[in-house]
Amino acid sequence: MWQYILKRLLLLIPTLIGIITINFLVIQFVPGGPVEQMVQQLTHASADGAAVLQATGDGKTQISAEDMAALKALYGFDKPPLTRYFDMLSRFARFDLGDSFFHHQSVVGLVKEKLPVSMSLGLWTFFLTYLICIPLGVAKAVRQGTKFDAVSSVIILIGYSIPSFVLGVLLLVLFGGGSFLAWFPLSGLVSDNWAELSFWGKIGDYLWHIALPITASVAGNLAVMTILTKNVFLEEIRRQYVLTARAKGLPENKILWRHIFRNAMIPLITGFPAAFIGAFFTGSLLIETLFSLDGLGLLSYQSVVKRDYPVVMGTLFVFTLLGLLAKLLSDISYSWIDPRIHFGGKK
């Protein structure tokens, strides 16, 4: 087992470097970089910012060569791409993600600032999805072919067919003070007077704000996990050991929860590490934008639009590293949960 873990950790390094290299190369060919955007801002600046501009023969203005060189040096584009690439790898090896071009703070500090919002969305979505889909999937498997199975399948498929952002708009219209009821706030994670509230008042205010975004996020995830849970349990129910247990006269509840449940949960539990880690850092751009939540999803989108390369590459490095580690944990969890599985053979 330890040899397998060491081998996977060693393979993680070239995989991580390969992903970073591909994205770095793509960035080099994307037009409208930070220098070009700053030049455009200066070109359309007011008279106070026009001091760096020079008049041309046709009456237009352009930035001087000296200021252009200063801008390139400011953003690090005065160096060759290969030099910038190895400088970036050197910094990433020390877990130095650099500073944002436009937010004027470190990428690590920026991620920490936006992380609570994405954690709120991700963790609530993660826990509610599993807490609902596993019991529902088991109930559907046990009641296969019944009216309950048919009705619940229709409801789940309807929820799955509606995109989360469309459901979010619908929830805002119905319950967020749109055309009908004003039961929930339109935006934000907490109220403006949150700091003045009591302990229980803060919890209630937070849950009040997060109710609609979480509902919109969970609805789309339920269908996949519920159907997966149902199919896994149905497969286990049809196995020979279940027929043998029934032939011995064991009660159905004992067969279900002591035998079927343990085996059926293996493929579900092994997905926990990746889903749990992803819940910390997965930001939903559409949900965050719709409900005015300033999280990592919105940060990633704005960084790409503004060509804020330190934020783009820094967050990519962190998220990719955590994703690869989560995948390793998922694979190892197979062996922890099912003793029949061994990596590298039995000792």
Side-chain angles (χ1 to χ4, degrees):
M1 171 63 75
W2 291 110
Q3 291 181 352
Y4 172 80
I5 295 176
L6 179 60
K7 182 179 179 180
R8 285 290 300 272
L9 289 175
L10 292 176
L11 288 174
L12 183 147
I13 297 175
T15 304
L16 183 61
I17 293 177
I19 294 174
I20 293 175
T21 301
I22 292 174
N23 284 271
F24 181 84
L25 292 175
V26 171
I27 284 177
Q28 306 310 307
F29 298 98
V30 175
V35 175
E36 290 80 0
Q37 291 197 19
M38 181 57 67
V39 170
Q40 186 177 11
Q41 292 180 17
L42 292 174
T43 304
H44 294 85
S46 61
D48 293 336
V52 297
L53 303 178
Q54 293 181 340
T56 59
D58 55 2
K60 297 181 180 180
T61 55
Q62 65 178 9
I63 192 168
S64 64
E66 293 79 6
D67 291 315
M68 177 63 78
L71 280 177
K72 290 183 177 181
L74 176 65
Y75 294 119
F77 287 91
D78 57 329
K79 302 177 183 178
L82 196 60
T83 302
R84 288 188 280 114
Y85 170 74
F86 284 110
D87 287 344
M88 179 187 66
L89 290 184
S90 176
R91 287 189 293 100
F92 284 177
R94 305 189 305 270
F95 288 93
D96 178 10
L97 305 183
D99 298 323
S100 169
F101 289 156
F102 299 98
H103 293 276
H104 306 294
Q105 64 181 107
S106 67
V107 175
V108 173
L110 199 58
V111 170
K112 289 181 179 179
E113 179 183 325
K114 311 295 183 181
L115 187 58
V117 174
S118 295
M119 283 179 59
S120 296
L121 288 174
L123 290 178
W124 278 112
T125 302
F126 169 80
F127 286 118
L128 288 178
T129 298
Y130 277 94
L131 286 175
I132 296 174
C133 74
I134 291 179
L136 182 58
V138 174
K140 286 175 63 63
V142 174
R143 296 169 177 83
Q144 167 74 359
T146 63
K147 185 177 179 180
F148 170 81
D149 183 34
V151 173
S152 60
S153 296
V154 171
I155 296 175
I156 289 172
L157 291 177
I158 291 176
Y160 180 70
S161 63
I162 301 176
S164 58
F165 71 93
V166 175
L167 179 59
V169 172
L170 180 62
L171 292 174
L172 285 176
V173 171
L174 293 177
F175 305 109
S179 304
F180 297 92
L181 304 173
W183 290 354
F184 296 95
L186 288 172
S187 61
L189 199 61
V190 292
S191 300
D192 295 334
N193 63 335
W194 188 79
E196 303 172 2
L197 299 176
S198 63
F199 174 76
W200 293 109
K202 291 180 178 179
I203 295 179
D205 182 74
Y206 166 74
L207 295 177
W208 181 48
H209 280 76
I210 206 71
L212 295 186
I214 292 303
T215 302
S217 299
V218 170
N221 296 333
L222 282 179
V224 176
M225 290 301 303
T226 301
I227 299 302
L228 175 62
T229 303
K230 175 188 174 181
N231 292 337
V232 170
F233 271 81
L234 283 177
E235 183 180 353
E236 290 296 325
I237 289 174
R238 299 187 182 107
R239 291 187 180 275
Q240 183 62 41
Y241 74 88
V242 176
L243 298 177
T244 303
R246 286 173 177 167
K248 292 181 178 179
L250 292 178
E252 285 294 327
N253 286 337
K254 186 175 183 180
I255 296 174
L256 176 63
W257 299 111
R258 286 196 179 182
H259 301 280
I260 299 175
F261 186 82
R262 178 181 178 182
N263 294 325
M265 286 299 294
I266 291 176
L268 299 176
I269 294 178
T270 50
F272 278 12
F276 186 76
I277 293 179
F280 281 87
F281 296 97
T282 301
S284 175
L285 169 62
L286 295 175
I287 295 297
E288 291 180 7
T289 303
L290 182 62
F291 292 94
S292 300
L293 302 174
D294 191 11
L296 291 176
L298 191 59
L299 172 65
S300 300
Y301 172 74
Q302 292 175 343
S303 301
V304 172
V305 172
K306 293 181 179 180
R307 306 295 191 269
D308 198 346
Y309 296 145
V311 177
V312 173
M313 297 302 298
T315 53
L316 174 70
F317 169 75
V318 174
F319 299 163
T320 303
L321 178 60
L322 291 175
L324 293 173
L325 291 175
K327 179 62 177 175
L328 174 60
L329 289 176
S330 296
D331 293 341
I332 296 174
S333 62
Y334 273 105
S335 178
W336 290 342
I337 297 172
D338 191 351
R340 296 171 299 178
I341 299 176
H342 293 271
F343 297 106
K346 293 184 178 181
K347 293 184 180 180

